Amino acid sequence: EVQLVESGGGLVETGGSLRLSCAASGFSFDGYYIGWFRQVPGKEREGVSCISSRDGTTYYADSVKGRFTISTDNSKRTVYLQMNTLKPEDTAVYYCAHTNRRAGSRANEYDYWGQGTQVTVSS
């Protein structure tokens, strides 16, 4: 079974940095799509950043371009989201998600989800 475990969230001040990790198991790392999403109460899940292992294509939401970077470490079977220059509006629960099918930034394109990790940015 596919397993995804997020970690690295926490409380930071405006302008600070965090690196989120998504440890993955139960599927081949040769062909996959991983997306980072975030959600706040009362709002839909928002696609933050996605990556394809097939061709390396990446996606970033306009609100995080230039501040967030998605990367992978295949030997560790881990996907990272480096978050710099954090803002209060980045506060949310962050989830990683996986699918073996071609996918983009829509939550309903993904099949498996982690438990989420809380990111809180103080004003």
Side-chain angles (χ1 to χ4, degrees), residues 17-91:
S17 298
L18 287 172
R19 188 177 72 163
L20 305 184
S21 299
C22 177
S25 63
F27 62 92
S28 172
F29 234 59
D30 294 330
Y32 66 87
Y33 298 83
I34 292 286
W36 284 100
F37 295 80
R38 64 188 182 188
Q39 187 168 28
V40 299
K43 298 184 67 176
E44 293 184 339
R45 285 168 293 178
E46 175 190 17
V48 177
S49 183
C50 306
I51 188 167
S52 166
S53 70
R54 189 179 306 276
D55 59 14
T57 300
T58 59
Y59 161 85
Y60 295 96
D62 288 343
S63 60
V64 307
K65 286 181 179 178
R67 299 189 297 119
F68 291 12
T69 303
I70 190 169
S71 63
T72 63
D73 185 331
N74 291 342
S75 67
K76 297 181 179 179
R77 298 183 60 84
T78 301
V79 181
Y80 302 98
L81 185 68
Q82 179 67 46
M83 307 186 297
N84 297 326
T85 319
L86 283 161
K87 304 175 180 180
E89 51 262 46
D90 296 318
T91 296

